[in-house]
Amino acid sequence: MSEQQRHAERHVVIVGAGMAGVQTAVALRDQGFEGPVTLIGAEPHQPYDRPPLSKAVLLGKAEGSAFDIDFEALGIGLDLGREVTGVRPADHELDTATGPVGYDVLVLATGAAPVQLPGTEGVRGVHLLRTLDDAERLRPVLAEQHDVVVVGAGWIGAEFATAAREAGCAVTVVEAAERPLAGALPAEVAAPMEGWYADSGATLRTHARVARVEPGVVVLADGTRLPAGAVVVGIGARPATDWLTGSGIELGAHREVVADDRLRTSAPDVYAVGDCSSFPSGRYGERLLVHHWDNALQGPRTVAANIVGEDPAPYDPVPYFWSEQFGRFVQYAGHHAGADQLVWRGDPTGAAWSVCWLRDGALVAVLAVGRPRDLAQGRKLIESATHLDPTLTSDPSIPLKKAVAP
């Protein structure tokens, strides 16, 4: 057998049937890989997209969000409802509840799991929103217009609060930090967003730590008792990597799989992509752990290129995500941690405004509220490390691409 034939007949097993796993399988076929491909998913459902769960699926406007992909026609094997419990890289084998599965090449795409509110595991009326089953359990809660308490004023908390208000529920959002999006945006940028809650009829309580959840009530640390027909927890997510304990595959500070700039792990023939892994960014000079849909869409192309034997460019995307909340379309591109200058575009009390972050004069990140053109142009300017004139940038009537420094 020639090296080329051996290469083509390797069995690629992908663990995780979300966006990253599905797109890796599709990218392999798009890039000409003809060997066997198996997609293993812990959930029994046909692979589906997650963003609609907090929107159309939750509100009953759609029954589901299954990917429009003919897996059979592509020759992609689906092994659904199967939980993977471990991996033995030296043996090229996975351990599952129903026996071992061998692989020649393994792709880890298990995503992230939502963080539970301590003490609420198994408590009736407490919900997470990560899976199709979660969304289906929450649909009747909204339909019956229960009083809802949302724990966490991050992206998912705001999106759920938006849907609950649209459904006619009374909504209280409690946030332990002093403001919404405390871990994601600087205080001055997040400040205008506080008013969005009140504008929508939701109540936002900051500096509010949950002491415990009782049937029908959320008790805060200061003794306040909030009526709650349902409690939705949105306090973050962690890479779903517990099953890799003892495998020898290197994990990082956040228990994520440590991948290199080609998305290879520390184990031979094992790649990692999407929410479960971090990668080194040459653009930003640090390792990035990106829990967003676009990363799960882009990374698979790099993984597939490696598997088919190409030498892809280092994986170093401009991170991007969006959120629909309280009637606003919020988009973000880049990574602002190392920025040394912040430039406002427009009035943050208005319906449409943007923020640009510069480092040594170059655009490194942009947040756009109702200004999609700023986002689209900004993303390209970040990719090209273009320097901007701060005075021109601050004028919202001037297109960002026209604000380039002389």
Side-chain angles (χ1 to χ4, degrees):
M1 182 184 292
S2 71
E3 179 64 22
Q4 189 173 14
Q5 285 174 314
R6 189 198 68 77
H7 192 79
E9 291 182 9
R10 292 174 305 161
H11 182 195
V12 178
V13 175
I14 302 165
V15 182
M19 172 63 82
V22 166
Q23 290 300 325
T24 299
V26 171
L28 281 166
R29 294 300 188 227
D30 284 348
Q31 296 185 34
F33 183 77
E34 296 179 354
V37 176
T38 302
L39 195 60
I40 301 178
E43 294 181 56
H45 310 290
Q46 279 289 112
Y48 62 88
D49 202 6
R50 293 191 189 279
L53 297 184
S54 61
K55 306 171 185 74
V57 175
L58 189 59
L59 290 169
K61 296 177 181 178
E63 284 305 309
S65 55
F67 292 113
D68 185 18
I69 294 168
D70 190 336
F71 293 99
E72 186 176 355
L74 289 173
I76 296 168
L78 295 181
D79 191 350
L80 304 176
R82 187 173 197 175
E83 186 173 356
V84 179
T85 56
V87 58
R88 288 171 282 114
D91 300 327
H92 279 58
E93 274 193 341
L94 293 167
D95 293 317
T96 80
T98 52
V101 176
Y103 67 84
D104 294 307
V105 180
L106 177 63
V107 181
L108 308 177
T110 47
V115 177
Q116 294 265 12
L117 186 65
T120 63
E121 296 85 349
V123 175
R124 185 182 176 90
V126 177
H127 301 263
L128 299 168
L129 181 52
R130 182 71 179 179
T131 69
L132 182 58
D133 289 340
D134 292 337
E136 289 180 346
R137 279 190 289 267
L138 278 164
R139 274 163 69 164
V141 170
L142 300 195
E144 293 161 16
Q145 298 186 334
H146 285 286
D147 288 348
V148 176
V149 173
V150 180
V151 183
W155 300 112
I156 193 67
E159 289 183 4
F160 179 81
T162 299
R165 284 299 301 140
E166 188 176 329
C169 299
V171 178
T172 300
V173 180
V174 296
E175 169 57 56
E178 74 282 1
R179 55 190 167 84
L181 295 167
L185 295 173
E188 61 190 302
V189 177
M193 300 176 176
E194 287 199 41
W196 297 357
Y197 288 80
D199 290 347
S200 76
T203 299
L204 173 64
R205 298 180 67 117
T206 55
H207 299 283
R209 191 171 294 278
V210 175
R212 63 187 182 277
V213 178
E214 300 173 355
V217 178
V218 172
V219 183
L220 302 182
D222 65 3
T224 301
R225 298 173 67 85
L226 302 174
V231 179
V232 176
V233 178
I235 56 174
R238 293 193 182 119
T241 58
D242 286 352
W243 66 283
L244 294 172
T245 300
S247 68
I249 294 174
E250 183 184 356
L251 301 181
H254 302 281
R255 297 283 297 170
E256 86 283 7
V257 180
V258 173
D260 69 7
D261 63 2
R262 265 54 172 200
L263 302 184
R264 298 170 295 207
T265 73
S266 62
D269 302 316
V270 181
Y271 298 84
V273 65
D275 291 8
C276 71
S277 63
S278 64
F279 58 89
S281 170
R283 187 191 314 277
Y284 292 106
E286 61 182 286
R287 179 166 286 276
L288 298 183
L289 174 60
V290 180
H291 280 189
H292 295 298
W293 186 91
D294 191 66
N295 179 48
L297 182 66
Q298 293 201 58
R301 297 170 195 149
T302 294
V303 172
N306 276 288
I307 293 172
V308 300
E310 294 179 7
D311 184 21
Y315 183 66
D316 197 7
V318 173
Y320 166 72
F321 74 92
W322 80 97
S323 177
E324 295 176 72
Q325 51 183 269
F326 308 119
R328 293 165 173 85
F329 187 45
V330 184
Q331 296 171 282
Y332 177 96
H335 181 64
H336 65 265
D340 53 35
Q341 187 174 7
L342 186 152
V343 181
W344 288 89
R345 283 171 61 80
D347 179 1
T349 64
W353 48 275
S354 298
V355 174
C356 294
W357 284 269
L358 309 180
R359 183 181 64 208
D360 298 328
L363 184 66
V364 293
V366 59
L367 173 82
V369 178
R371 290 181 65 94
R373 190 169 296 174
D374 279 2
L375 190 289
Q377 294 180 10
R379 196 173 182 181
K380 291 177 181 177
L381 294 168
I382 296 168
E383 286 174 350
S384 57
T386 298
H387 285 63
L388 298 185
D389 180 309
T391 301
L392 295 176
T393 301
S394 67
D395 185 341
S397 69
I398 298 175
L400 264 185
K401 63 183 181 182
K402 301 289 189 184
V404 176

